[in-house]
Amino acid sequence: MAVSRRVRDFLKGLYDCISYVTVFWWWRLIRRLRTTSPKQVLLDKLEAAHNYGEWEAAAIHFDAVLGNDLWRGDSATKDYDRRLITARTAQLKDALREHDLYTMLHTLRSGLVRNLGNITAPKLYNRAYAGTKYEIEDYVSTVGIAVQHVTQAPTGPSHKLRSQQKLDVLHDARLALGRSCLVLQGGSIFGLCHIGVVKALHLRGLLPRIIAGTATGALMAALVGVHKEADLLERLSGEGIDLSAFAAASERAADAHGGRQSATGWLSTLWRRAQRFFKYGYVLDVKVLEECVRANVGDMTFEEAYNHTKRVLNITVSATGGGVPSLLNYLTAPNVLIWSAALASNASDARYSPITLQCKRPDGTIVPWDIPAKSTVKPAKRAYGRTPSTDHDRDTPLSRASELFNVNHFIISQARPYIAPFLAPSLHHSSSPRSSREPWSTYLMRLLIMELQHRLTQMDMLGWLSPGLRRLLLDESVPGASWTLVPHVNWMDFARLLRNPTREEIDYWILRGERSVWPALSALSVRCAVEVEIDRGYQLVRRRKPFDMEPPPPERPVDVEGDSRKRRKFRAASMDAG
């Protein structure tokens, strides 16, 4: 009996011990799963930020937790030429300290390169959220201060620098550095993200003066290209855009259903828009779209917009013949109305589009353009292995912009709904929420998209893709360095494609567009801050030059009596010598 009692006590104690340990660790595991880690809390703050100030504060804190602030201060790296950057920064700082204009002018004329020492490599911006190496940021800010010093340097006969010399230096520096172009691509309701991209760049002083747009991006580019710098911010919101045309269209649709929304309304909307896309090449009703664009842009031509804002607006159209340029701007189509070009850009295939470009005569009357936007001329069939000279290459618009305006850097905002969910932006942090949740699926999806793009390119080379499908499925070749911005889109956002734009919808997509820019602001600042400063200084000196012209030397007053005395003395000396 005693032995059996001891065995029972031992087994009971063992059971109690195992039960206690099991319950203890089970509750620890549940609390661990329910408790959000500090890293995830900071990531959630980054995703939930409503302005750049909130995002930057969370990014700085996150970098401190991960130790990325130490990485930013560590100069031991092979990703860029640290010695060159440090030497150039020290040279400019010494010149600024000693007011050495010659060194600053020499640096701006001959040593200014956008990717000096490989400082624009994407690898330098995928680590920390709040910025890159402190030495790179110090170099860019020092160059900007040097440009400001040259711009504000006094000129005149009593100074070392003259107005024309200063203007020549800034002009040559701008020409050597090149210019940036903001490209807005796509895409139905997702294209409203472009407004947020423009807003974020504008608030940080990084918005390029050259803007190009395609499809819905052309509508957004037109909205930006017709407003001055001071009036632009109030237009970049749901309150600043006139949506009365869409509101009237929604009311007409509701009246058609007896004042109520049909239970199958979304199916009829989907079917109607699909029919419109396959028949004409666009999704939204062109009449409603025309009313909306004209209400926000007006009957302004490309040349009038440039003279009004000094922004270079470019709109890409898909022209298959008739001599229509594929890139419309104030040089190629100065008298064309912007709203008609934006509507033509929304047609995926100009051969089947009923849209006709409109132009304005000198007397103000609006007439169809001499060269129609649509052409019944079919493009020539391409033979196997070669491309005839009559066929236009799909990278012509951006190449044309590069040729016309000295563009060698492109900021591409990609928002096409059938591509955006699968694209990876140029900036992807290793600890970002998207990459940490789906690392392998995102990588495999990227490989799949690359393979699909390669096969589509081969089909295009064989002539198997129509111009509409080519524009729909293939990306344009970028003739220069580029940086891609892609908004974070989830699958629930595709349901918004069937809705008409409202102020709430616009504000929703504007915030999505802004959030796609905030992580890339550090990289874009290194790429564009010096360019913006040089352009600002050039425009300032150019405006000041007529008022800063060096005064001509004062005319010597005529002394008649003194001149006559000199002549008499000269004649007397000549007679004595004879």
Side-chain angles (χ1 to χ4, degrees), residues 497-556:
L497 292 174
L498 302 178
R499 306 177 187 174
N500 283 331
T502 61
R503 303 191 189 281
E504 292 76 13
E505 288 285 324
I506 291 179
D507 290 334
Y508 172 84
W509 289 111
I510 286 177
L511 184 58
R512 284 294 181 93
E514 288 186 89
R515 287 173 177 170
S516 69
V517 178
W518 292 338
L521 279 177
S522 175
L524 294 177
S525 178
V526 171
R527 290 168 174 250
C528 303
V530 176
E531 174 194 343
V532 172
E533 198 62 48
I534 291 177
D535 185 72
R536 185 185 294 115
Y538 175 77
Q539 299 296 336
L540 182 62
V541 173
R542 188 179 179 183
R543 289 194 297 266
R544 286 180 177 177
K545 185 185 174 183
F547 306 98
D548 293 344
M549 292 293 293
E550 292 81 3
E555 296 183 359
R556 184 175 61 87

Side-chain angles (χ1 to χ4, degrees), residues 323-456:
V324 180
S326 58
L327 189 72
L328 304 180
N329 51 51
Y330 80 99
L331 293 179
T332 60
N335 297 326
V336 172
L337 296 181
I338 294 175
W339 66 262
S340 67
L343 291 181
S345 181
N346 275 268
S348 62
D349 195 338
R351 294 177 297 172
Y352 309 110
S353 172
I355 300 172
T356 301
L357 293 178
Q358 304 289 326
C359 69
K360 184 185 293 185
R361 288 180 173 177
D363 58 358
T365 59
I366 298 176
V367 296
W369 201 24
D370 293 336
I371 305 175
K374 57 181 180 178
S375 175
T376 57
V377 180
K378 278 192 174 183
K381 292 290 184 179
R382 281 185 280 186
Y384 178 79
R386 56 189 178 91
T387 303
S389 59
T390 56
D391 191 25
H392 66 285
D393 193 21
R394 61 187 172 87
D395 62 352
T396 298
L398 296 185
S399 299
R400 187 64 174 153
S402 179
E403 295 170 358
L404 290 174
F405 307 111
N406 190 34
V407 176
N408 61 359
H409 178 245
F410 295 87
I411 304 173
I412 302 175
S413 176
Q414 181 61 263
R416 285 183 286 182
Y418 47 87
I419 290 182
F422 310 107
L423 282 182
S426 297
L427 184 72
H428 50 279
H429 292 95
S430 57
S431 55
S432 64
R434 296 175 65 181
S435 61
S436 61
R437 293 172 185 170
E438 297 179 346
W440 286 107
S441 61
T442 303
Y443 178 74
L444 293 177
M445 184 62 68
R446 198 181 313 161
L447 289 179
L448 179 62
I449 293 298
M450 291 173 62
E451 179 66 22
L452 182 61
Q453 291 284 331
H454 176 63
R455 298 307 176 188
L456 289 174

Side-chain angles (χ1 to χ4, degrees), residues 39-40 42-44 46-47 55 62-63 66 68 125-129 423-440 442 446 486 488 515 519:
K39 176 181 176 180
Q40 188 61 41
L42 292 174
L43 286 174
D44 293 339
L46 286 175
E47 286 190 326
W55 188 93
F62 192 27
D63 286 339
L66 298 181
N68 291 332
Y125 306 92
N126 291 338
R127 176 74 178 268
Y129 281 80
L423 282 182
S426 297
L427 184 72
H428 50 279
H429 292 95
S430 57
S431 55
S432 64
R434 296 175 65 181
S435 61
S436 61
R437 293 172 185 170
E438 297 179 346
W440 286 107
T442 303
R446 198 181 313 161
V486 181
H488 176 45
R515 287 173 177 170

Side-chain angles (χ1 to χ4, degrees), residues 349 351-352 379 382 460 463-472:
D349 195 338
R351 294 177 297 172
Y352 309 110
R382 281 185 280 186
D460 183 37
W464 294 352
L465 295 181
S466 66
L469 288 177
R470 178 195 306 170
R471 180 187 175 194
L472 185 69

Side-chain angles (χ1 to χ4, degrees), residues 173-285:
R174 189 174 72 160
L175 189 64
L177 184 62
R179 307 178 74 180
S180 297
C181 176
L182 176 62
V183 182
L184 309 179
Q185 292 186 348
S188 188
I189 205 70
F190 289 6
L192 295 173
C193 291
H194 298 318
I195 303 179
V197 171
V198 172
K199 181 179 179 180
L201 294 175
H202 175 64
L203 290 176
R204 302 302 298 176
L206 298 175
L207 182 63
R209 291 179 60 242
I210 304 174
I211 300 177
T214 304
T216 308
L219 304 177
M220 305 301 109
L223 183 66
V224 175
V226 299
H227 293 102
K228 291 184 177 179
E229 196 83 11
D231 304 330
L232 185 58
L233 187 59
E234 64 182 24
R235 297 290 180 178
L236 301 177
S237 64
E239 297 294 331
I241 300 177
D242 189 351
L243 299 174
S244 56
F246 287 101
S250 298
E251 292 178 1
R252 290 194 296 268
D255 294 338
H257 290 90
R260 59 184 178 82
Q261 184 66 30
S262 174
T264 59
W266 67 274
L267 286 176
S268 61
T269 301
L270 177 62
W271 176 248
R272 184 172 61 254
R273 292 186 175 182
Q275 284 183 315
R276 190 184 299 133
F277 175 78
F278 286 108
K279 185 176 181 180
Y280 298 116
Y282 46 79
V283 176
L284 298 177
D285 188 353

